């Protein structure tokens, strides 16, 4: 039976809306530009983006990478904007600005966009030794007033417990470093990177590496949780 013209128009509008939504989904990844994160060991949201960005709707993620699955379901923009997990105006008072249990999301920064990063569970972990090197990517050449690298204390279990300040021990830090002192890179992303040697003596098994990067260009503080297995 031939559908009247008015009927065809009724059917067309939902199709147009669906197409627009699909196009928005495709465009959204482009919002990730500038800033940075730790890429080795990888921060939680960068790891989820690097593994699943090209197939974020693949149902296999639910069984193969369940913590990333819950993160993608919570807010896809947390992964598309893997390089934007920062707070402004902290003025060095990190513990005052970020409550226990919210360290991995920067205190639910970005209107709570990164809240799934705080959820404890079996996140994909990077194998490292007790002596390791942390690699931080700076896509916008901000440089750093300082960078502080922490590792959780032995006995902390990231599979069951959300991260708190009392779980952390400072293992490495660098002071003011302008971007001219960082290494220029083009892969896996264009920008500059800095390599920070760290030592996690007395630890083995699952841990979190927590990094605070105080950018030099303004009062922007970046916070990164990276899951590791210390061998």
């Amino acid at each position: 039976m031939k559908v009247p013209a008015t009927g065809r128009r009724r059917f067309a509008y939902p199709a147009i809306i669906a197409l627009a939504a699909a196009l928005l989904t495709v465009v959204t990844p482009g919002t990730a530009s500038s800033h940075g994160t730790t890429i080795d060991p990888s921060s939680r949201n960068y790891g989820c983006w690097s593994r699943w960005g090209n197939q974020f709707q693949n149902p296999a993620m639910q069984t193969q990478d369940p913590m990333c699955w819950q993160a993608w379901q919570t807010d896809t923009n947390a992964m598309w904007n893997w390089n934007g997990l920062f707070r402004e105006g902290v003025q060095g008072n990190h513990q005052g600005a970020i409550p226990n249990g919210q360290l991995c999301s920067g205190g639910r920064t970005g209107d709570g966009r990164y809240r799934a990063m705080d959820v404890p569970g079996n996140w994909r972990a990077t194998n490292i030794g007790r002596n390791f090197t942390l690699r931080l990517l700076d896509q916008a050449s901000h440089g750093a007033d300082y960078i502080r690298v922490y590792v959780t204390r032995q006995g902390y279990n990231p599979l069951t417990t959300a991260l708190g300040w009392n779980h952390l021990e400072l293992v490495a830090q660098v002071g003011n470093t302008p971007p001219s002192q960082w290494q220029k890179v083009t892969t896996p992303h264009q920008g500059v990177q800095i390599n920070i040697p760290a030592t996690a003596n007395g630890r083995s098994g699952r841990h979190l590496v927590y990094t605070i990067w105080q950018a030099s260009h303004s009062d922007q503080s970046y916070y990164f949780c990276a899951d590791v297995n210390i061998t």
Side-chain angles (χ1 to χ4, degrees):
M1 181 177 68
K2 186 176 179 181
V3 179
T6 55
R8 286 199 298 271
R9 282 195 294 270
R10 287 195 204 98
F11 286 114
Y13 288 126
I16 292 171
I17 293 171
L19 177 60
L23 289 173
L24 284 173
T25 300
V26 172
V27 171
T28 301
T31 60
S33 59
S34 78
H35 312 312
T37 192
T38 54
I39 59 175
D40 187 18
S42 63
S43 63
R44 284 179 168 175
N45 53 334
Y46 178 76
C48 290
W49 174 83
S50 63
R51 291 192 295 274
W52 297 99
N54 291 331
Q55 47 180 333
F56 69 98
Q57 293 176 317
N58 187 340
M61 190 195 326
Q62 188 170 9
T63 54
Q64 296 177 15
D65 205 345
M67 297 311 296
C68 280
W69 171 262
Q70 65 86 28
W72 280 102
Q73 305 313 302
T74 301
D75 195 325
T76 58
N77 284 324
M79 274 61 69
W80 298 134
N81 293 278
W82 51 262
N83 49 16
L85 206 168
F86 66 89
R87 293 185 69 91
E88 294 184 313
V90 174
Q91 299 181 339
N93 186 17
H94 306 290
Q95 294 192 36
I98 301 178
N100 285 328
Q102 298 182 15
L103 276 66
C104 296
S105 68
R108 307 287 167 87
T109 190
D111 295 325
R113 172 189 297 163
Y114 301 96
R115 61 193 181 278
M117 305 302 114
D118 291 322
V119 179
N122 192 19
W123 292 85
R124 191 79 63 87
T126 302
N127 290 326
I128 64 171
R130 288 176 179 169
N131 296 308
F132 66 97
T133 299
L134 180 133
R135 184 158 49 122
L136 194 157
L137 172 72
D138 177 358
Q139 288 185 291
S141 297
H142 293 323
D145 287 345
Y146 57 82
I147 303 169
R148 297 172 183 167
V149 182
Y150 302 81
V151 177
T152 48
R153 302 177 188 277
Q154 190 66 18
Y156 168 76
N157 187 351
L159 279 69
T160 60
T161 306
L163 185 64
W165 292 104
N166 58 307
H167 299 133
L168 297 174
E169 182 179 359
L170 184 68
V171 298
Q173 61 181 327
V174 296
N176 182 266
T177 51
S180 60
Q181 296 180 11
W182 296 40
Q183 175 188 359
K184 289 186 178 180
V185 293
T186 56
T187 57
H189 307 281
Q190 189 168 357
V192 295
Q193 72 177 31
I194 188 169
N195 298 320
I196 305 172
T199 300
N201 286 333
R203 293 170 176 82
S204 62
R206 292 293 298 268
H207 282 273
L208 283 176
V209 175
Y210 189 66
T211 304
I212 299 176
W213 167 32
Q214 184 65 42
S216 291
H217 74 296
S218 66
D219 189 8
Q220 286 186 345
S221 307
Y222 293 76
Y223 305 95
F224 313 123
C225 276
D227 292 84
V228 297
N229 182 49
I230 300 176
T231 60

